């Protein structure tokens, strides 16, 4: 059966940059564009040329992509021709084969925000789209505030769409700009727009996630007949974000009736890179990936309850809606005080450790986990520390080195500019192959900023491990989380450290102590031992 083609339009580089705390450099935009192209989206909206130096620089050196590179801008201003509008000219000068213009579709916004008549707005839309088409560009209109506008004045909202269509627009995109329209409304209104003469194969949908319904809203529009979907990687975007393509794409490819009814430019092979691309974007943004993200999150296929893990061992489909490998993710059987022997054996098996059912060591490991979690440890989110604990209990953990002692000092002093600054220094003594090695590091970075005592301790610990040094040279600490697990004078500090290596492997370790430095050191020590274990 012939499937209907859906067009995927990515606006991570433009809408995504409106996320609070996100600011792409030109080089980062280039890297993200290349990632998007390998995924297989149809359009990549690179930004608004002329609006800021970064976007202008990106279009000057945009990577060559299979996807259609698209510039974003606004329709011409009232009182001038499209050919003589300098803002529109800057967008045209980006030289992209496609241009997406935003135009008002809500009468309230036309009269209140723009301060022009409804007729002038129609003329601006029609003239701008006609100008793009006359210059040989593929034209898209983002009908801003369309759904609110349609509910207030359906005749005018439709008139805006018809003006763009008559002028030659390839796509008219219905935008739920405020993010408040629910999926059922989106589906109904999209169907009414098609019935009013805007063909579904010329219609797109652009939803926001203010009610946590952006993906559902986009799917409702597709069900009603729209054939283009706009969204962003990881759901980036203003306020609560845009349609999350990282959730939408696997739904389209793997879920019925979408999988058998529609096709996109994303292949099943490309889909296997989705988790990697999602995490790479977070890495570029220096953000911690959301563990509970659908399909690609680290917890998306984590099975904590013993009953669940037991069933997963028999048939993964009992508690998994898809095979995690389809999106490049992996199954995790976390260890916690809720775990049973089924969880434990599965987790050990994943680590390459086979233990027979009923082995007394299993009960010993479970008892240790429960005792340590009562002290404040968590192995639910520190899988590497769990593996080390289990190997130690089974007597199969090599001793790569021994820590003899360590010391951390923090000093406040005046610098040469007579300003008070902090400086941390760490001393670590380890014994490797019978030889003691002393390492000293301080926390000052290349810019002269203090990075704190844990940074100094990490650098000193990883400075000289003799013949094992090459095994950890590509290690880096990527996240550091601290939590107080008990209150009052008996407060206990839990530290969880995420580490990463040059091959993209990422692992988490935990340390617990009344002293934050001791807790940090335990987690750092586990991180290094786990890394060395992988090369043993």
């Amino acid at each position: 059966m012939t499937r209907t083609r859906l067009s995927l339009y990515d606006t991570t580089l433009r809408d995504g940059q409106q996320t609070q705390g996100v600011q792409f450099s030109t080089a980062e935009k280039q890297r993200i564009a290349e990632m998007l192209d390998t995924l297989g989206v149809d359009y990549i909206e690179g930004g608004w040329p002329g609006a800021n130096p970064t976007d202008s620089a990106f279009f000057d050196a945009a990577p060559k992509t299979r996807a259609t590179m698209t510039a974003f801008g606004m329709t011409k201003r009232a009182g001038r021709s499209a050919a003589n509008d300098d803002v529109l000219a800057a967008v045209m000068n980006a030289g992209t084969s496609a241009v997406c213009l935003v135009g008002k579709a809500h009468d309230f916004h036309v009269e209140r925000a723009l301060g022009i008549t409804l007729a002038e707005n129609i003329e601006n839309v029609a003239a701008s789209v006609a100008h793009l088409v006359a210059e040989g560009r593929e034209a898209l209109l983002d009908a801003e505030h369309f759904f609110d506008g349609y509910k207030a004045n359906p005749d005018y909202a439709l008139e805006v769409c018809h003006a763009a269509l008559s002028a030659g627009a390839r796509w008219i995109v219905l935008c739920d700009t405020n993010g408040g329209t629910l999926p059922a409304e989106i589906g109904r209104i999209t169907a009414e727009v098609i019935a009013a003469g805007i063909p579904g194969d010329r219609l797109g949908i652009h939803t926001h996630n203010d009610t946590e319904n952006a993906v559902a809203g986009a799917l409702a529009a597709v069900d009603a007949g729209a054939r283009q979907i706009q969204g962003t990687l990881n759901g980036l975007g203003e306020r609560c974000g845009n349609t999350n393509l990282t959730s939408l794409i696997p739904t389209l490819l793997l879920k019925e009736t979408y999988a058998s009814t529609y096709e996109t430019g994303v292949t099943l092979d490309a889909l296997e890179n989705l988790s990697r691309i999602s995490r790479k974007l977070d890495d570029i943004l220096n953000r911690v990936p959301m563990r509970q993200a659908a399909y690609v999150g680290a917890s998306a296929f984590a099975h904590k309850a013993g009953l669940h893990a037991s069933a997963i061992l028999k048939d993964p489909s009992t508690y998994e809606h898809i095979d995690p490998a389809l999106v490049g993710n992996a199954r995790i059987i976390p260890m916690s005080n809720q775990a049973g022997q089924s969880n434990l054996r599965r987790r050990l098996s994943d680590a390459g450790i086979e233990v027979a059912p009923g082995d007394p060591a299993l009960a010993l490991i479970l008892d240790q986990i429960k005792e340590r979690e009562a002290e404040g440890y968590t192995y639910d989110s520190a899988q590497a520390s769990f593996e080390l604990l289990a190997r130690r209990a089974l007597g199969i953990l090599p001793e790569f080195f021994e820590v003899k002692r360590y010391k951390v000092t923090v000093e406040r002093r005046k610098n040469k500019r007579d300003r008070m600054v902090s400086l941390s220094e760490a001393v670590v003594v380890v014994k490797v192959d019978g030889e003691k090695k002393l390492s000293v590091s301080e926390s000052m970075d290349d810019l002269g900023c203090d990075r704190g005592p844990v940074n100094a301790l990490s650098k000193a610990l990883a400075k000289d491990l003799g013949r094992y040094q090459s095994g950890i040279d590509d290690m880096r600490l990527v996240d550091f989380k601290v939590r107080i697990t008990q209150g009052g004078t008996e407060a206990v500090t839990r530290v969880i450290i995420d580490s990463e290596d040059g091959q993209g492997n990422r692992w988490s370790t935990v340390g617990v102590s009344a002293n934050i430095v001791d807790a940090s050191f335990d987690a750092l020590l586990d991180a290094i031992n786990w890394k060395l274990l992988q090369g043993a």
Side-chain angles (χ1 to χ4, degrees):
M1 184 179 77
T2 302
R3 292 182 294 166
T4 301
R5 185 67 157 83
L6 291 180
S7 172
L8 297 176
Y9 184 107
D10 182 275
T11 178
T12 302
L13 301 180
R14 203 268 307 174
D15 261 326
Q17 191 162 253
Q18 295 179 16
T19 308
Q20 188 174 14
V22 169
Q23 185 63 49
F24 298 125
S25 68
T26 299
E28 288 170 342
K29 294 186 76 161
Q30 291 168 335
R31 290 170 60 194
I32 295 167
E34 291 168 350
M35 288 159 47
L36 290 166
D37 203 40
T38 62
L39 183 59
V41 299
D42 298 287
Y43 294 82
I44 298 173
E45 188 176 80
W48 189 330
N52 60 74
T54 300
D55 283 8
S56 298
F58 171 77
F59 284 107
D60 287 341
K64 300 297 181 183
T65 57
R66 176 207 54 78
T68 301
M69 188 61 68
T70 307
F72 180 86
M74 61 183 289
T75 56
K76 78 172 187 70
R77 289 164 289 179
R80 66 189 69 191
S81 68
N84 291 316
D85 189 290
D86 56 330
V87 176
L88 185 55
V91 177
M92 296 289 288
N93 290 340
T96 57
S97 60
V99 175
C100 182
L101 299 180
V102 60
K104 300 291 187 184
H106 189 179
D107 56 0
F108 170 77
H109 282 267
V110 172
E111 295 175 328
R112 183 64 63 88
L114 295 182
I116 61 176
T117 68
L118 300 185
E120 285 176 314
N121 183 61
I122 294 293
E123 194 275 330
N124 289 346
V125 169
S128 300
V129 171
H131 179 62
L132 296 183
V133 175
E135 294 294 321
R137 310 297 175 87
E138 180 181 346
L140 299 90
L141 177 76
D142 270 6
E144 190 181 32
H145 295 287
F146 176 82
F147 290 95
D148 291 332
Y150 185 89
K151 285 182 278 188
N153 187 342
D155 291 340
Y156 185 74
L158 287 170
E159 189 179 354
V160 171
C161 295
H162 279 291
L165 185 68
S166 299
R170 171 63 185 89
W171 295 102
I172 292 93
V173 183
L174 309 181
C175 299
D176 184 33
T177 310
N178 285 351
T181 310
L182 296 178
E185 285 184 294
I186 290 175
R188 174 181 60 81
I189 293 173
T190 302
E192 291 174 4
V193 170
I194 295 172
I198 307 294
D201 61 2
R202 307 284 289 274
L203 206 57
I205 181 67
H206 179 117
T207 54
H208 283 256
N209 207 33
D210 297 75
T211 65
E212 201 69 37
N213 277 292
V215 170
L219 292 173
V222 170
D223 293 340
R227 294 295 175 254
Q228 185 188 87
I229 306 169
Q230 294 193 355
T232 60
L233 281 181
N234 290 355
L236 294 181
E238 193 171 26
R239 304 186 312 275
C240 304
N242 288 44
T243 300
N244 188 347
L245 293 181
T246 317
S247 303
L248 178 87
I249 290 173
T251 296
L252 292 173
L253 268 65
L254 303 175
K255 296 296 183 179
E256 293 296 352
T257 58
Y258 301 104
S260 59
T261 305
Y262 303 104
E263 64 177 349
T264 71
V266 181
T267 66
L268 290 174
D269 286 343
L271 189 65
E272 293 178 5
N273 292 316
L274 187 65
S275 295
R276 181 186 61 80
I277 289 172
S278 170
R279 292 165 191 174
K280 187 65 177 176
L281 176 63
D282 282 327
D283 186 53
I284 291 171
L285 296 175
N286 196 28
R287 304 196 323 173
V288 178
M290 181 178 169
R291 299 187 68 87
Q292 283 75 32
Y295 292 104
V296 299
S299 297
F301 301 95
H303 306 281
K304 182 174 180 178
L307 178 63
H308 294 195
S310 178
I312 284 287
L313 284 170
K314 298 170 185 174
D315 187 336
S317 67
T318 53
Y319 285 97
E320 289 178 350
H321 66 111
I322 65 163
D323 178 354
L326 293 173
V327 292
N329 210 338
R331 180 178 304 120
I332 294 177
I333 309 295
M335 291 313 305
S336 74
N337 60 15
Q338 296 184 34
Q341 291 199 8
S342 295
N343 292 51
L344 180 56
R345 291 186 56 246
R346 179 56 184 263
R347 183 61 186 95
L348 292 172
S349 177
D350 289 343
I353 306 169
E354 298 299 334
V355 180
D359 190 311
L362 295 174
L364 174 63
I365 295 171
L366 285 174
D367 286 344
Q368 289 187 10
I369 290 171
K370 292 175 182 179
E371 289 172 6
R372 289 170 74 84
E373 289 204 338
E375 296 170 4
Y377 285 84
T378 174
Y379 295 102
D380 185 6
S381 52
Q383 297 294 309
S385 286
F386 154 72
E387 184 179 336
L388 295 176
L389 179 151
R391 286 182 176 274
R392 192 174 291 112
L394 292 167
I396 55 173
L397 179 66
E399 184 178 69
F400 301 103
F401 61 94
E402 179 187 1
V403 177
K404 303 301 291 185
R405 64 181 177 90
Y406 74 87
K407 179 175 69 174
V408 179
T409 59
V410 180
E411 180 182 4
R412 286 282 287 171
R413 66 187 182 196
K414 286 191 174 182
N415 63 11
K416 59 184 179 182
R417 297 181 180 85
D418 201 36
R419 294 177 181 173
M420 292 298 295
V421 296
S422 296
L423 179 66
S424 302
E425 184 179 77
V427 178
V428 177
V429 178
V430 298
K431 191 173 185 180
V432 185
D433 295 329
E435 179 184 354
K436 286 186 179 180
K437 297 178 179 292
L438 183 148
S439 297
V440 181
S441 288
E442 61 179 28
S443 58
M444 201 71 72
D445 63 15
D446 294 337
L447 300 176
C449 299
D450 176 57
R451 308 303 294 177
V454 175
N455 175 269
L457 192 57
S458 174
K459 288 160 61 177
L461 180 59
K463 198 168 189 176
D464 185 5
L465 292 181
R467 63 188 174 101
Y468 300 113
Q469 187 61 37
S470 61
I472 63 168
D473 281 341
D474 64 341
M475 256 185 82
R476 67 186 184 101
L477 187 153
V478 293
D479 195 25
F480 178 84
K481 298 182 282 290
V482 178
R483 181 172 180 181
I484 304 301
T485 63
Q486 298 176 20
T489 58
E490 298 180 355
V492 174
T493 302
R494 176 198 298 149
V495 170
I496 294 179
I497 288 177
D498 290 348
S499 303
E500 193 172 63
D501 64 18
Q503 288 72 51
N505 299 313
R506 189 167 181 146
W507 62 101
S508 300
T509 51
V510 62
V512 170
S513 174
N515 184 311
I516 189 173
V517 175
D518 281 338
S520 302
F521 187 79
D522 285 347
L524 289 168
L525 196 58
D526 272 7
I528 289 176
N529 274 303
W530 189 88
K531 169 65 172 170
L532 292 175
L533 187 63
Q534 307 316 297

